[in-house]
Amino acid sequence: MTDHHQSTRGKPRVALITCAELADLHEDDRLVVAPLAARGIVAESVVWDDPAIDWARYDLAVLRSPWDYMFRRDEFVAWAARVPRLLNPADVVRWNTDKRYLDELSAAGVPTVPTSWVLPGEPWQPPADRGEYVIKPAVSAGSRGTGRYDLADPAHRDLAVAHVRRLGLAGRVTMVQPYLTAVDTVGETALLFLAGPAGLTFSHAIRKGPMLTGPEQGDDVLNGAEETTARTAQPAQLAVAAQALAAVPGGPERLLYARVDLIPGPDGNPVLVELELTEPSLFLAHAEGAPNRLAAAIALRLTQPTR
């Protein structure tokens, strides 16, 4: 490997940051490597917690699939603060890796799924309305540690209470949300945005099918398989996405990418499920030109100071 000075005099080097379980990157992320090479940019897969890595050797560090951080969030956030030229920026990572950011977005007027929070040690009783609810940790990725419970079923009520208790005993904050049944029919829509000359720009959309079929199955599956297809974004969805992105601390113009996950609410209007700014799947394979657009976004950020 050449040193950093050689890389800046020759080809820029970009770290595509992953975890040890996906040391060669997720297959979707590998799609950007060739378009970057065509631009004279060397992309390397780098495991985020590898102590041998000299981050100063890279002209840009791009978070992609560090999906094992949820049990070590404090360590991950501290690491992000030490990495030069990290995208998305470290302060965004700190804000976005705890899903209590949803309260801030709701307060800013973004339509979000109603969410309640249970701190470690707090007692919790299931809601009295006996509908279906989703329970998951406030720090999570994929569907790890997540369960769907029909509170009209006494056995599910007991399992839900046990799930919250288990998360609390592990020192984790629990989030409780009503299950939006539209995900079973319409599905979830993910809107993907990438940096461009005019700022963060819509790239493509995908549909995600339902993943939660019942109570929590454990934390041992790394970002489980999703049923995904291409989708056309609707004006109402893009409007909610614009609201959410406008509320990002520091502004959306600093971001390399963003993913806005939406589901129709009870009235049919889109509501925000999550705003993914740290390590979202970008579903590059689902849209023609998407790998090239991500490569162009990275090339653009190489010419700009990070903020």
Side-chain angles (χ1 to χ4, degrees):
M1 296 176 66
T2 56
D3 66 26
H4 179 65
H5 296 292
Q6 289 174 324
S7 75
T8 55
R9 287 197 300 266
K11 293 183 178 181
R13 180 179 284 115
V14 171
L16 300 178
I17 299 168
T18 184
C19 59
E21 193 167 339
L22 293 168
D24 293 324
L25 297 174
H26 188 275
E27 59 185 353
D28 197 68
D29 289 326
R30 289 196 290 268
L31 296 176
V32 77
V33 174
L36 285 172
R39 288 171 166 79
I41 299 167
V42 176
E44 298 178 0
S45 171
V46 184
V47 174
W48 73 271
D49 57 351
D50 183 346
I53 300 300
D54 176 8
W55 295 100
R57 298 171 72 93
Y58 295 97
D59 300 286
L60 203 64
V62 176
L63 287 162
R64 289 312 316 125
S65 49
W67 292 335
D68 59 354
Y69 75 85
M70 72 283 300
F71 300 113
R72 296 181 288 157
R73 176 180 176 265
D74 289 347
E75 179 186 344
F76 182 69
V77 167
W79 163 85
R82 298 193 300 270
V83 177
R85 305 213 69 196
L86 180 70
L87 290 174
N88 284 327
D91 64 302
V92 172
V93 170
R94 182 186 312 110
W95 178 77
N96 190 240
T97 48
D98 186 325
K99 290 181 174 58
R100 283 178 285 185
Y101 70 77
L102 289 169
D103 280 354
E104 294 183 39
L105 295 182
S106 180
V110 180
T112 60
V113 180
T115 307
S116 59
W117 311 92
V118 186
L119 300 180
E122 287 185 343
W124 180 78
Q125 287 298 318
D129 67 7
R130 298 179 180 270
E132 285 193 283
Y133 280 80
V134 173
I135 293 173
K136 60 183 174 181
V139 178
S140 63
S143 57
R144 280 180 157 183
T146 302
R148 170 182 171 183
Y149 300 91
D150 180 357
L151 299 186
D153 182 335
H156 272 225
R157 293 178 73 84
D158 291 343
L159 289 170
V161 171
H163 187 173
V164 174
R165 182 185 304 117
R166 189 162 55 251
L167 290 173
L169 289 173
R172 305 171 79 181
V173 176
T174 301
M175 55 193 295
V176 181
Q177 299 175 317
Y179 184 78
L180 299 181
T181 57
V183 75
D184 295 326
T185 53
V186 179
E188 183 175 331
T189 299
L191 305 180
L192 287 305
F193 295 80
L194 300 172
L200 203 62
T201 303
F202 174 70
S203 170
H204 58 286
I206 63 106
R207 177 193 184 274
K208 295 193 289 180
M211 293 183 65
L212 298 178
T213 58
E216 183 233 359
Q217 297 297 309
D219 272 318
D220 43 346
V221 177
L222 182 65
N223 222 12
E226 296 176 305
E227 176 193 333
T228 56
T229 54
R231 167 165 275 179
T232 299
Q234 300 302 310
Q237 295 170 330
L238 293 169
V240 172
Q243 280 184 274
L245 292 170
V248 173
E253 63 276 0
R254 298 191 303 150
L255 304 177
L256 173 67
Y257 52 70
R259 196 182 90 197
V260 184
D261 293 345
L262 305 169
I263 297 176
D267 62 359
N269 293 317
V271 296
L272 180 74
V273 181
E274 291 189 21
L275 176 60
E276 297 271 14
L277 306 179
T278 301
E279 32 61 40
S281 295
L282 297 177
F283 304 108
L284 300 176
H286 287 73
E288 185 176 356
N292 194 55
R293 289 192 290 276
L294 177 57
I298 292 171
L300 177 65
R301 286 292 185 253
L302 280 167
T303 69
Q304 300 171 331
T306 55
R307 289 178 288 166

